[in-house]
Amino acid sequence: MSTRREQILAAAAELFARHGFHGVGIDEIGAAVGVSGPALYRHFRSKDAMLGEMLTSISEVLLTGGLDRRERTEDPAKLLGELIAFQVDFALDNPSLITVQERNLGNLTDPDRRRVRALQRRYVEVWVQAVRDTAPDLDEPTARAAAHAVFGLINSTPHSRHLGRDGMATMLREMAAAALAGAGGETRR
Amino acid sequence: MSTRREQILAAAAELFARHGFHGVGIDEIGAAVGVSGPALYRHFRSKDAMLGEMLTSISEVLLTGGLDRRERTEDPAKLLGELIAFQVDFALDNPSLITVQERNLGNLTDPDRRRVRALQRRYVEVWVQAVRDTAPDLDEPTARAAAHAVFGLINSTPHSRHLGRDGMATMLREMAAAALAGAGGETRR
DNA sequence: ACCCGACGTTAGCGTCCGCTAACACGTGTT
DNA sequence: AACACGTGTTAGCGGACGCTAACGTCGGGT
């Protein structure tokens, strides 16, 4: 629909990523898209609603991306590789969204946070299943912890831009794959 | 020295980690240590100063920990393993400090941020050198990017507590080592 | 006995911030 | 011509926040 909403969300995401949710004022977000201040309330009900819509849509994109790939790929090893590539591409192409999702989940309203958490959990489950299909010796909690660790690895991207986009992508894919392969070890609590 | 300062810093760290720097008020920090509000100004010059001291001391602890280990260990592979174990232990034992350092660097005053950044860069250089000593085929930017990625992996700990503390530690060590070994590119799943 | 420094309290200041109110303007439909 | 509607503006309210001021209490050194 309106380009304006997306434009506002993109600007807000960048500002939230840089200064934190509470560190950004309505006026700054408006200024970033060329209008000033309260004009934003023609498009969003509140500042909270901006963050809510932002994080919800990210989580939905990730989840449907994961579900799509699981549906299309039946070879477990190939699926895991595609999940990795998907997450790497998303992180490299949407650094501020990734940053906001990692840092500002706690600033959501309770209902929004519940929604986002639910979506995230389903996305993680896609990963957990894929991991365990390629490494059946891992129990479920270990697989889940390993998945979270790999998210941390991939999502660290916004904070280190030293390589080019493609060099970064291949390196992250290889490191993620190796890390997951190495999670097997003799891990036991 | 005064237990009080450290007590305040610990409480503030937990609150900053949960709600973000601007999401926490002076009164809340005071309440968390049993005094209320402006009493904190007997111990710190400002709220900014609390964050500044917090992040500076973390960075110093990490840097000296890294330098110590480099001094004591001459075998490159062993050194890298010890750096990994050191970072893993620190992240597992100080989850809120790690979270604050990752999320709230941008909320520091300019001079504080410069100080912290300088310390962090020196710590990263310890890692880069250790990585390149065990994998000489990596150029420096790649080694640096790989180090940052491994920090992301290890520091993701606070957000996933599924395994016990020791199970988590061994798994993270193995994943980190595997990820670094896989950063070269010759390791395919 | 006295004072002083450490540490705490409450009251209140100035400012910022999210949001609403009231109004203006351009466009498309009737 | 009249109107509704989408989108923007400025003014301003109410509350929160960081911080200071002024004052109280208490324990240790002289």
Side-chain angles (χ1 to χ4, degrees), chain A residues 171 174-175 178, chain B residues 135 137-138 142 146 178-187:
Chain A
M171 192 198 74
E174 290 168 355
M175 291 184 74
Chain B
D137 51 317
L138 290 186
T142 304
L180 283 173
E186 80 280 8
T187 330

Side-chain angles (χ1 to χ4, degrees), chain A residues 1-10 42-45 49 53:
Chain A
M1 280 291 203
S2 77
T3 274
R4 206 52 171 192
R5 283 179 72 86
E6 302 162 13
Q7 194 184 353
I8 292 170
L9 283 180
R42 301 292 170 188
H43 306 275
F44 295 91
R45 223 195 288 104
E53 190 164 319

Side-chain angles (χ1 to χ4, degrees), chain B residues 6-58:
Chain B
E6 302 161 12
Q7 194 184 353
I8 293 170
L9 283 180
E14 198 155 331
L15 289 168
F16 290 166
R18 184 142 48 235
H19 307 288
F21 180 70
H22 291 296
V24 179
I26 286 290
D27 292 355
E28 302 175 54
I29 302 174
V33 298
V35 305
S36 245
L40 304 179
Y41 289 84
R42 301 291 169 189
H43 306 274
F44 295 92
R45 223 196 289 104
S46 67
K47 191 187 169 194
D48 290 317
M50 294 184 207
L51 184 65
E53 189 164 320
M54 198 179 299
L55 293 198
T56 310
S57 81
I58 300 173

Side-chain angles (χ1 to χ4, degrees), chain A residues 84-94 154 165 169 173:
Chain A
I84 290 172
F86 172 60
Q87 181 75 27
V88 166
D89 286 338
F90 188 89
L92 284 169
D93 294 336
N94 307 276
I154 296 174
R165 136 95 229 217
R173 282 197 299 265

Side-chain angles (χ1 to χ4, degrees), chain A residues 28-167:
Chain A
E28 302 176 53
I29 302 174
V33 298
V35 306
S36 246
L40 304 179
Y41 288 83
R42 301 292 170 188
H43 306 275
F44 295 91
R45 223 195 288 104
S46 67
K47 192 187 169 194
D48 290 317
M50 295 184 207
L51 185 64
E53 190 164 319
M54 198 179 299
L55 293 197
T56 309
S57 82
I58 301 173
S59 304
E60 284 169 350
V61 168
L62 287 177
L63 175 58
T64 62
L67 290 175
D68 280 4
R69 274 152 189 83
R70 175 166 73 182
E71 209 173 323
R72 274 197 211 107
T73 322
E74 72 287 353
D75 175 37
K78 186 146 182 276
L79 172 58
L80 194 52
E82 296 209 12
L83 288 176
I84 290 172
F86 172 60
Q87 181 75 27
V88 166
D89 286 338
F90 188 89
L92 284 169
D93 294 336
N94 307 276
S96 43
L97 287 182
I98 284 288
T99 302
V100 173
Q101 178 163 70
E102 290 218 312
R103 294 186 186 172
N104 296 94
L105 222 158
N107 300 121
L108 286 172
T109 56
D110 284 343
D112 278 343
R113 184 167 46 246
R114 271 194 294 274
R115 248 192 303 279
V116 171
R117 281 241 138 97
L119 291 165
Q120 288 183 342
R121 217 171 35 240
R122 292 176 61 196
Y123 181 57
V124 172
E125 287 320 302
V126 174
W127 273 73
V128 168
Q129 185 181 320
V131 167
R132 297 194 70 201
D133 283 348
T134 69
D137 51 317
L138 291 186
D139 61 13
E140 191 172 312
T142 304
R144 187 154 24 242
H148 276 117
V150 168
F151 290 154
L153 187 153
I154 296 174
N155 293 345
S156 72
T157 276
H159 319 309
S160 72
R161 269 270 126 97
H162 312 93
L163 270 41
R165 136 95 229 217
D166 288 357

